[in-house]
Amino acid sequence: MTPPAFPTTTYLSAPDLVQLVRRLGFSACLAGIAERIEQDFLRWHEFDKSPRLACHSAEGVIELMPIADAQRFAFKVVNGHPGNTRLGLPTVMAFGVLADMDTGAPRLLSELTITTALRTAAMSALAAQHLARRNSRHMALIGNGAQSEFQALAFRDRVGIRTLSLFDTDPAASAKLAANLHGQGLQVRICSSTAEAVQGADIVTTLTADKTRATIITPDMVQPGMHFNAVGGDCPGKTELHPGVLQAAQVFVEFEPQTRVEGDIQQLPADFAVTEFWRVLAGVAPGRRSAQQVTVFDSVGFALEDFSALSWLADKAAELGIGQVLDLIAQAPDPKNLFGLLQPPRLAVVAGARAAASSAEFPAAARRQKA
Ligand SMILES: NC(=O)c1ccc[n+]([C@@H]2O[C@H](COP(=O)([O-])OP(=O)(O)OC[C@H]3O[C@@H](n4cnc5c(N)ncnc54)[C@H](O)[C@@H]3O)[C@@H](O)[C@H]2O)c1
């Protein structure tokens, strides 16, 4: 009997991801990932979930985010280092893997830095579609760094935002965001404080990065009916909302055991009532109850969003033929003879025989050479 073909691993580099987004279009990618996240959140009970594992240092955090359903396992490795931009590095960098549950074989190894910005914006907009007032048109965007264009365009596409008020402690970041949004159908104004930016906003998105217990939004800034999309408070000791803002609102979270430790609600007692967002999607818990209610999406980023993004990426990369086959796993002709791969080929004196031996042991490399 012929053994089944060895499962291949596709590698999607950052340039591959850029190519994929340019070919499909930014809005189509956001829409595809948002739809996949919604479908997966509606399958909440099919997933083996756990809070992420975090290793902290004085400068930041590195986190491992695993999750699985019956078919696929995914993990992301991501960091958060607010001081990185001073070194010319992004605050957030990530990569991840999708593997088959039935064999454990890795099928996709992908960049997830750009993808994290896409999936976070898709998740935020999905939450706001259910939690913000339906007639929301004006959003304040506090923190105008790497994630900000993604959030602005996701809220334009999926929530109907038409006006943006920007504030960042670094005026160059706001100028960069305004320039990148030029011609995107959004009216943009740069403000000189958070209080000025949130004045009159329907939705407030906080995207700041600071490794301190920051208070970006104070109770005096809150107006009836506002929705807060709090993205930057995502780690122990890293917050954005004053506890009074949370206490005056209905708070929605991704995965409660993780958000209790990492979200803005870390400032409140463990019995402070929150609603997991999947319950709103599934129709088992109400979202916004009135036009006057203040709602908060206390986002920290959950592994299921990366599972959805990786699954979507795997499908699109295959459809478009983007990515490379990667020799990630050693393939011995006899899987019980792994050591045999380390032995010099017996017919090494003949160059042709060497090539034949190599292509038997590393078929992916042979396929690439032929291409
Ligand atoms: N919840 C999630 O799923 C998720 C996903 C990705 C990133 N994040 C978090 O979102 C935040 C933003 O990420 P990024 O990649 O855009 O970071 P970034 O470093 O590129 O941008 C952060 C911006 O915040 C500004 N800032 C800092 N303190 C401020 C303050 N007090 N008021 C106004 N602006 C302030 C900085 O000047 C900077 O321009 C980070 O904290 C990151 O950890 C969360």
mmCIF file with all atom_site columns, all heavy atoms in Angstrom, residues 107-118:
data_model
loop_
_atom_site.group_PDB
_atom_site.id
_atom_site.type_symbol
_atom_site.label_atom_id
_atom_site.label_alt_id
_atom_site.label_comp_id
_atom_site.label_asym_id
_atom_site.label_entity_id
_atom_site.label_seq_id
_atom_site.pdbx_PDB_ins_code
_atom_site.Cartn_x
_atom_site.Cartn_y
_atom_site.Cartn_z
_atom_site.occupancy
_atom_site.B_iso_or_equiv
_atom_site.pdbx_formal_charge
_atom_site.auth_seq_id
_atom_site.auth_comp_id
_atom_site.auth_asym_id
_atom_site.auth_atom_id
_atom_site.pdbx_PDB_model_num
ATOM 1  N N   . ARG A 1 107 ? 0.540  22.956 9.332  1.00 0.00 ? 107 ARG A N   1
ATOM 2  C CA  . ARG A 1 107 ? 0.141  23.173 7.950  1.00 0.00 ? 107 ARG A CA  1
ATOM 3  C C   . ARG A 1 107 ? 0.399  24.592 7.476  1.00 0.00 ? 107 ARG A C   1
ATOM 4  O O   . ARG A 1 107 ? 0.464  24.856 6.300  1.00 0.00 ? 107 ARG A O   1
ATOM 5  C CB  . ARG A 1 107 ? -1.352 22.830 7.769  1.00 0.00 ? 107 ARG A CB  1
ATOM 6  C CG  . ARG A 1 107 ? -1.721 21.430 8.212  1.00 0.00 ? 107 ARG A CG  1
ATOM 7  C CD  . ARG A 1 107 ? -0.826 20.362 7.564  1.00 0.00 ? 107 ARG A CD  1
ATOM 8  N NE  . ARG A 1 107 ? -0.828 20.429 6.120  1.00 0.00 ? 107 ARG A NE  1
ATOM 9  C CZ  . ARG A 1 107 ? -1.755 19.882 5.326  1.00 0.00 ? 107 ARG A CZ  1
ATOM 10 N NH1 . ARG A 1 107 ? -2.725 19.169 5.875  1.00 0.00 ? 107 ARG A NH1 1
ATOM 11 N NH2 . ARG A 1 107 ? -1.699 20.008 4.024  1.00 0.00 ? 107 ARG A NH2 1
ATOM 12 N N   . LEU A 1 108 ? 0.453  25.536 8.426  1.00 0.00 ? 108 LEU A N   1
ATOM 13 C CA  . LEU A 1 108 ? 0.694  26.933 8.056  1.00 0.00 ? 108 LEU A CA  1
ATOM 14 C C   . LEU A 1 108 ? 1.563  27.584 9.130  1.00 0.00 ? 108 LEU A C   1
ATOM 15 O O   . LEU A 1 108 ? 1.282  27.443 10.322 1.00 0.00 ? 108 LEU A O   1
ATOM 16 C CB  . LEU A 1 108 ? -0.643 27.692 7.961  1.00 0.00 ? 108 LEU A CB  1
ATOM 17 C CG  . LEU A 1 108 ? -0.543 29.184 7.612  1.00 0.00 ? 108 LEU A CG  1
ATOM 18 C CD1 . LEU A 1 108 ? -0.098 29.385 6.167  1.00 0.00 ? 108 LEU A CD1 1
ATOM 19 C CD2 . LEU A 1 108 ? -1.883 29.884 7.828  1.00 0.00 ? 108 LEU A CD2 1
ATOM 20 N N   . LEU A 1 109 ? 2.617  28.242 8.682  1.00 0.00 ? 109 LEU A N   1
ATOM 21 C CA  . LEU A 1 109 ? 3.434  29.091 9.566  1.00 0.00 ? 109 LEU A CA  1
ATOM 22 C C   . LEU A 1 109 ? 3.332  30.478 8.964  1.00 0.00 ? 109 LEU A C   1
ATOM 23 O O   . LEU A 1 109 ? 3.696  30.672 7.799  1.00 0.00 ? 109 LEU A O   1
ATOM 24 C CB  . LEU A 1 109 ? 4.890  28.605 9.580  1.00 0.00 ? 109 LEU A CB  1
ATOM 25 C CG  . LEU A 1 109 ? 5.925  29.554 10.207 1.00 0.00 ? 109 LEU A CG  1
ATOM 26 C CD1 . LEU A 1 109 ? 5.655  29.767 11.684 1.00 0.00 ? 109 LEU A CD1 1
ATOM 27 C CD2 . LEU A 1 109 ? 7.339  28.993 10.022 1.00 0.00 ? 109 LEU A CD2 1
ATOM 28 N N   . SER A 1 110 ? 2.818  31.437 9.730  1.00 0.00 ? 110 SER A N   1
ATOM 29 C CA  . SER A 1 110 ? 2.517  32.733 9.108  1.00 0.00 ? 110 SER A CA  1
ATOM 30 C C   . SER A 1 110 ? 2.981  33.911 9.951  1.00 0.00 ? 110 SER A C   1
ATOM 31 O O   . SER A 1 110 ? 2.975  33.847 11.189 1.00 0.00 ? 110 SER A O   1
ATOM 32 C CB  . SER A 1 110 ? 1.007  32.856 8.891  1.00 0.00 ? 110 SER A CB  1
ATOM 33 O OG  . SER A 1 110 ? 0.708  34.106 8.297  1.00 0.00 ? 110 SER A OG  1
ATOM 34 N N   . GLU A 1 111 ? 3.322  34.963 9.246  1.00 0.00 ? 111 GLU A N   1
ATOM 35 C CA  . GLU A 1 111 ? 3.465  36.265 9.909  1.00 0.00 ? 111 GLU A CA  1
ATOM 36 C C   . GLU A 1 111 ? 2.119  36.598 10.531 1.00 0.00 ? 111 GLU A C   1
ATOM 37 O O   . GLU A 1 111 ? 1.061  36.253 9.977  1.00 0.00 ? 111 GLU A O   1
ATOM 38 C CB  . GLU A 1 111 ? 3.883  37.339 8.894  1.00 0.00 ? 111 GLU A CB  1
ATOM 39 C CG  . GLU A 1 111 ? 2.726  38.109 8.241  1.00 0.00 ? 111 GLU A CG  1
ATOM 40 C CD  . GLU A 1 111 ? 2.121  39.203 9.107  1.00 0.00 ? 111 GLU A CD  1
ATOM 41 O OE1 . GLU A 1 111 ? 2.858  39.984 9.704  1.00 0.00 ? 111 GLU A OE1 1
ATOM 42 O OE2 . GLU A 1 111 ? 0.868  39.292 9.174  1.00 0.00 ? 111 GLU A OE2 1
ATOM 43 N N   . LEU A 1 112 ? 2.127  37.247 11.692 1.00 0.00 ? 112 LEU A N   1
ATOM 44 C CA  . LEU A 1 112 ? 0.848  37.697 12.270 1.00 0.00 ? 112 LEU A CA  1
ATOM 45 C C   . LEU A 1 112 ? 0.941  39.131 12.799 1.00 0.00 ? 112 LEU A C   1
ATOM 46 O O   . LEU A 1 112 ? 0.087  39.536 13.583 1.00 0.00 ? 112 LEU A O   1
ATOM 47 C CB  . LEU A 1 112 ? 0.384  36.749 13.384 1.00 0.00 ? 112 LEU A CB  1
ATOM 48 C CG  . LEU A 1 112 ? -0.125 35.358 12.965 1.00 0.00 ? 112 LEU A CG  1
ATOM 49 C CD1 . LEU A 1 112 ? -0.584 34.562 14.184 1.00 0.00 ? 112 LEU A CD1 1
ATOM 50 C CD2 . LEU A 1 112 ? -1.268 35.438 11.952 1.00 0.00 ? 112 LEU A CD2 1
ATOM 51 N N   . THR A 1 113 ? 1.943  39.883 12.389 1.00 0.00 ? 113 THR A N   1
ATOM 52 C CA  . THR A 1 113 ? 2.020  41.272 12.871 1.00 0.00 ? 113 THR A CA  1
ATOM 53 C C   . THR A 1 113 ? 0.960  42.115 12.163 1.00 0.00 ? 113 THR A C   1
ATOM 54 O O   . THR A 1 113 ? 0.114  42.738 12.829 1.00 0.00 ? 113 THR A O   1
ATOM 55 C CB  . THR A 1 113 ? 3.438  41.854 12.635 1.00 0.00 ? 113 THR A CB  1
ATOM 56 O OG1 . THR A 1 113 ? 4.382  40.991 13.279 1.00 0.00 ? 113 THR A OG1 1
ATOM 57 C CG2 . THR A 1 113 ? 3.563  43.249 13.198 1.00 0.00 ? 113 THR A CG2 1
ATOM 58 N N   . ILE A 1 114 ? 0.979  42.086 10.830 1.00 0.00 ? 114 ILE A N   1
ATOM 59 C CA  . ILE A 1 114 ? -0.068 42.810 10.085 1.00 0.00 ? 114 ILE A CA  1
ATOM 60 C C   . ILE A 1 114 ? -1.421 42.146 10.348 1.00 0.00 ? 114 ILE A C   1
ATOM 61 O O   . ILE A 1 114 ? -2.440 42.819 10.535 1.00 0.00 ? 114 ILE A O   1
ATOM 62 C CB  . ILE A 1 114 ? 0.239  42.801 8.570  1.00 0.00 ? 114 ILE A CB  1
ATOM 63 C CG1 . ILE A 1 114 ? 1.587  43.465 8.293  1.00 0.00 ? 114 ILE A CG1 1
ATOM 64 C CG2 . ILE A 1 114 ? -0.874 43.500 7.783  1.00 0.00 ? 114 ILE A CG2 1
ATOM 65 C CD1 . ILE A 1 114 ? 2.103  43.234 6.884  1.00 0.00 ? 114 ILE A CD1 1
ATOM 66 N N   . THR A 1 115 ? -1.400 40.815 10.400 1.00 0.00 ? 115 THR A N   1
ATOM 67 C CA  . THR A 1 115 ? -2.653 40.078 10.594 1.00 0.00 ? 115 THR A CA  1
ATOM 68 C C   . THR A 1 115 ? -3.286 40.405 11.951 1.00 0.00 ? 115 THR A C   1
ATOM 69 O O   . THR A 1 115 ? -4.512 40.488 12.058 1.00 0.00 ? 115 THR A O   1
ATOM 70 C CB  . THR A 1 115 ? -2.391 38.563 10.462 1.00 0.00 ? 115 THR A CB  1
ATOM 71 O OG1 . THR A 1 115 ? -1.773 38.328 9.196  1.00 0.00 ? 115 THR A OG1 1
ATOM 72 C CG2 . THR A 1 115 ? -3.677 37.765 10.550 1.00 0.00 ? 115 THR A CG2 1
ATOM 73 N N   . THR A 1 116 ? -2.461 40.607 12.980 1.00 0.00 ? 116 THR A N   1
ATOM 74 C CA  . THR A 1 116 ? -3.014 40.979 14.295 1.00 0.00 ? 116 THR A CA  1
ATOM 75 C C   . THR A 1 116 ? -3.742 42.322 14.206 1.00 0.00 ? 116 THR A C   1
ATOM 76 O O   . THR A 1 116 ? -4.825 42.486 14.784 1.00 0.00 ? 116 THR A O   1
ATOM 77 C CB  . THR A 1 116 ? -1.900 41.039 15.360 1.00 0.00 ? 116 THR A CB  1
ATOM 78 O OG1 . THR A 1 116 ? -1.439 39.710 15.596 1.00 0.00 ? 116 THR A OG1 1
ATOM 79 C CG2 . THR A 1 116 ? -2.393 41.637 16.671 1.00 0.00 ? 116 THR A CG2 1
ATOM 80 N N   . ALA A 1 117 ? -3.161 43.269 13.471 1.00 0.00 ? 117 ALA A N   1
ATOM 81 C CA  . ALA A 1 117 ? -3.829 44.574 13.324 1.00 0.00 ? 117 ALA A CA  1
ATOM 82 C C   . ALA A 1 117 ? -5.167 44.399 12.594 1.00 0.00 ? 117 ALA A C   1
ATOM 83 O O   . ALA A 1 117 ? -6.175 45.002 12.977 1.00 0.00 ? 117 ALA A O   1
ATOM 84 C CB  . ALA A 1 117 ? -2.925 45.545 12.577 1.00 0.00 ? 117 ALA A CB  1
ATOM 85 N N   . LEU A 1 118 ? -5.176 43.549 11.572 1.00 0.00 ? 118 LEU A N   1
ATOM 86 C CA  . LEU A 1 118 ? -6.419 43.291 10.835 1.00 0.00 ? 118 LEU A CA  1
ATOM 87 C C   . LEU A 1 118 ? -7.455 42.615 11.726 1.00 0.00 ? 118 LEU A C   1
ATOM 88 O O   . LEU A 1 118 ? -8.616 43.029 11.780 1.00 0.00 ? 118 LEU A O   1
ATOM 89 C CB  . LEU A 1 118 ? -6.136 42.377 9.634  1.00 0.00 ? 118 LEU A CB  1
ATOM 90 C CG  . LEU A 1 118 ? -5.577 43.021 8.366  1.00 0.00 ? 118 LEU A CG  1
ATOM 91 C CD1 . LEU A 1 118 ? -5.014 41.956 7.429  1.00 0.00 ? 118 LEU A CD1 1
ATOM 92 C CD2 . LEU A 1 118 ? -6.672 43.820 7.650  1.00 0.00 ? 118 LEU A CD2 1
#
